[in-house]
Amino acid sequence: MKKPWSGRFKEKTAATVETFTESISFDFRLWPYDIQGSIAHVRMLGRKRVLKGDEVERIVSGLEEIASEIEAGRFRFKRGLEDIHMNIEAALIRKIGPLGGKLHTARSRNDQIALDLRLYLRAEAGECLKMMRRLQRVLLRLAERHVETVMPGYTHLQRAQPVTLGHHLLAYVEMLQRDRERLEDALKRINTLPLGACALAGTTLPIDRAYVARLLGFKRIAENSMDAVSDRDFAIEFLSFGAILMMHLSRLAEELVLWSTEEFSFLELPDAFATGSSIMPQKKNPDVAELIRGKSGRVYGALLSLLTTMKALPLTYNRDMQEDKIPLFDTVDTLKAVLTVLIEMLPALKFNRGRMRETAAGGYALATDLAEYLVSKGLPFRKAHEVAGGIVRYAVEKGVELQELTLEEYRRFSPLIEEDVFASITLEGALRLRRSRGGTSPEETRRQIKRLKKLI
Ligand code: ARG
């Protein structure tokens, strides 16, 4: 295979080196962006009279033909041509002759790959944003259905205070909202044009970068040519976004794993989203949730991988940077797969309301409400905490729940306690009264649902 640099070389590349250095086996997926970028570049060269009008048209239609060949699966990518850029350029020269050699005027693969990656990531980020919004909608719908579904809220994985499932689910909608904001913000920097930096120092030829930016819909232009070809911050930012998103989704996945255990029994996994055991006939395993949890490791790894690749690289382009693609592509694929399966699985979950309620009622989860009741009767909170603590200890020793104590027993701990204490230590009462902003009361949860619906 003749290399573009053959003029300078006497011997041909060793086969092991071709195998070792190629990227076509994974960067072929950039083809639509490579062609889109080349077409814009060539149109700009025509506008600046570097190329003649008919030259532009012949190159553009050659590129379009190549695109339809790739699309139809009729294109043979060659490893000897290293990467997507040289594969397409060589095909163009084969197709339209030496004129094809004009495509690479005032351009280098260094600014070309930066361009392709940014176009790719801009499109995929758009996909991720859409899917995240869809997942938020699924969670909102589920939350709406469970505004009154009582469950225990936990701290330290110990029953703490009753909450509603709706409120619990909205916490994930909030996380996703922040994730979306993070990605939208990263998009400002992803959506920056590097083309025109050429190899690293710009060009002596007359080019118009603003025109290319307009054609390709870039909002900004990378203003320093050396930075333009060395920068992979935009990919690192995407991977950081992805790592945080996966951290959130792995927490949701972990809760699904816990809740579907015999011990919790808060939910039953739909058959279509569970797997069985090859040996234990009784098993129904939460493999989907476990894999979501597990894949977070892969995405964190991708972030660390690219950070490490970029660390201490001298300016400007270094071949190390070719290693950005596999972790980036893998992360995009992983995020989309995880979002897809969650969007499908969540609406199919069946929650066991009875069991959740029963668990919320036990375990003295209303002790804080008892303390707040005493505060409403004028006791300082610290004192109220102590009194309520004493009552809990008494109930524990007696082996009964708070609701089972008599008024007479309560009054032994504080004369401030009256008949109305029983209303404040019911589940419904406790929930209804937590209507502070962001609190778990059904009334406040409904208000939050309305607010989030507007945002989404
Ligand atoms: N395949 C290369 C990469 O992914 C494209 C840029 C090559 N540039 C170079 N000077 N060898 O980074």
Side-chain angles (χ1 to χ4, degrees), residues 402-412 422:
L402 288 180
Q403 298 88 332
E404 296 174 81
L405 297 175
T406 63
L407 181 59
E408 208 276 302
E409 286 173 301
Y410 271 112
R411 290 179 65 88
R412 261 185 256 151
F422 294 105

Side-chain angles (χ1 to χ4, degrees), residues 5 21-24 26-27 30 82-85 108-114 117 232 317-325:
W5 52 79
T21 57
E22 66 86 21
S23 56
I24 189 64
F26 47 91
D27 70 12
L30 294 173
E82 234 181 76
D83 56 24
I84 187 62
H85 324 299
S108 151
R109 279 187 296 156
N110 298 350
D111 58 347
Q112 191 178 355
I113 185 59
L117 271 184
R232 290 293 181 274
Y317 178 83
N318 298 272
R319 193 60 178 271
D320 314 44
M321 288 157 75
Q322 179 166 293
E323 292 292 316
D324 58 3
K325 284 164 210 62

Side-chain angles (χ1 to χ4, degrees), residues 402-434:
L402 288 180
Q403 298 88 332
E404 296 174 81
L405 297 175
T406 63
L407 181 59
E408 208 276 302
E409 286 173 301
Y410 271 112
R411 290 179 65 88
R412 261 185 256 151
F413 291 89
S414 167
L416 292 171
I417 301 180
E418 291 167 79
E419 191 61 41
D420 59 352
V421 71
F422 294 105
S424 66
I425 53 169
T426 64
L427 275 178
E428 275 66 28
L431 284 173
R432 211 165 355 88
L433 292 172
R434 286 203 171 79

Side-chain angles (χ1 to χ4, degrees), residues 428-446:
E428 275 66 28
L431 284 173
R432 211 165 355 88
L433 292 172
R434 286 203 171 79
R435 43 172 179 246
S436 51
R437 182 161 169 176
T440 200
S441 79
E443 181 192 340
E444 175 61 9
T445 305
R446 283 199 188 90

